[in-house]
Amino acid sequence: MKPKVAVIVLNYQGRRWLEVCFSKLFETEYESFQPILVDNASTDGSVELVREKFPSLEIILNQENCGFAEGNNIGIRRALTSGADYVVLLNPDTRVTPQWLGDLVSPPGGAPQKTPA
C-alpha cells in the first residue's frame, strides 16, 4: 500500500497562480495524495476560482491571515487527522510535473525510510 501524502497549498491573495498550480497538481501520477488549499482570508477571488475550477478540492478557510507558519500548521493538523503519512507544503506559484510526487515518495535506489516519531 502506498503512503498517503497530503499536499498543502497555503494561499493569500494568490488567485493569479492557483489555476495553473492546481491544474498541474491534478496531473500528478502518484495516486495516493490529498491536495488541500489553506486560504489565509484572501479577498482577491482565490477561493471562488478554486471552488469553480476544482470543486472536489478540500479548502480550509481561515477567518484572518494567520501568516505563513500558522497557516501551514493548520493544514498540517488537518492532513494528520485525515491519515496522511507524509505532508508536502507548496507555494501557490509552484508548478509540478506528473512524476514529482512519486519521485519524492520512492526516490531512486529504494523506498523512503520512515523515522520513528
Side-chain angles (χ1 to χ4, degrees), residues 19-95:
E19 186 170 358
V20 173
C21 177
F22 283 110
S23 291
K24 293 294 186 182
L25 188 58
F26 280 112
E27 292 176 5
T28 297
E29 293 170 354
Y30 188 84
E31 297 167 1
S32 186
F33 81 100
Q34 171 192 12
I36 302 170
L37 172 67
V38 178
D39 188 80
N40 263 344
S42 296
T43 59
D44 67 346
S46 293
V47 173
E48 293 79 8
L49 172 88
V50 170
R51 282 184 174 150
E52 177 186 331
K53 300 284 184 179
F54 309 99
S56 65
L57 181 68
E58 180 174 357
I59 302 172
I60 298 172
L61 298 173
N62 293 331
Q63 297 302 309
E64 62 184 10
N65 184 346
C66 300
F68 182 79
E70 182 57 19
N72 278 312
N73 284 337
I74 288 167
I76 291 167
R77 284 191 291 271
R78 172 67 183 111
L80 294 177
T81 61
S82 69
D85 297 300
Y86 300 109
V87 176
V88 175
L89 305 176
L90 293 181
N91 289 331
D93 60 347
T94 304
R95 296 179 183 184

